[in-house]
Amino acid sequence: EACKSVAILAQATLARIYKLLVSDQQPQHLKMLNARKKILKEKGAAPSPLEEEVAKALFDIEVSPSSDIKADLRDIVICNAQDFEVKNRTALIIHFPFRIWKNVQKIQGRLIRELEKKFSKKHVVFVAQRTILDKNFRRKGLKIRPRSRTLTSVHESILEDIVGPTEIFGKRTRISVDGTKIMKIYLDPKDKDKNDVEAKMSTFSAVYKKLTNKEAVFMFPEA
């Protein structure tokens, strides 16, 4: 009986400790310490205040009792976050390590919605961190250059990342009189009324231009 009482007491104590760890009663410095684990910077570089803010938001969603994506968020970290002004709106561009990108895609729509609640008046855009290998790749000891690491392929992937979870329905390239190329990107019509996608069209264009220096116009196909 005594052993049973001790076991029950120990279990109750552990439950209280866990509740404190995930609750708002947790000291601020401990919260920030836990949130820091959601940031992966190269060579120990210090995160920016915005990156710390995003990491804290991710941690808060992960430990929220009402969150339906908490288990999916456990292994998700960011490697970069930046604000970018787009007309009357700010775009929050969040980069994730490529190795976890498939996990991010599974919850992309739901996570964007949660983050846009926390960063009101901002359009949140997710992008995977990819490395472009130029034509001097052999100097780095590589015999062949994977197609996924070419400039063209990386830019195509960025296009798909930006509009996610909406999918690209079709593409068309228009060449103007002065030789400038403008891509027309048609998005999946079934997503027209979802998650303010239509309101984000100019954000998609501005973010793609910032990341690739290429012009692209986003739209839904005409019925």
Side-chain angles (χ1 to χ4, degrees), residues 148-173:
S148 63
R149 304 286 285 276
T150 62
L151 180 79
T152 305
S153 177
V154 169
H155 284 185
E156 279 175 6
S157 297
I158 288 172
L159 205 54
E160 290 166 7
D161 292 354
I162 287 169
V163 301
T166 300
E167 292 182 350
I168 292 172
F169 192 71
K171 297 176 195 170
R172 193 173 290 170
T173 303

Side-chain angles (χ1 to χ4, degrees), residues 4 12 21 28 31 35 37 41 54 63 72 85 91 97 108 110 125 146 157 160 175 191 196-197 222:
K4 196 175 178 182
L21 281 171
Q28 194 61 30
K31 272 192 169 185
K37 292 173 186 172
K41 300 294 285 182
V54 172
V63 299
D72 301 283
E85 296 303 319
Q108 192 169 358
R110 286 176 292 169
V125 176
S157 297
E160 290 166 7
I175 302 172
D191 292 328
D196 302 322
V197 175
E222 290 177 13

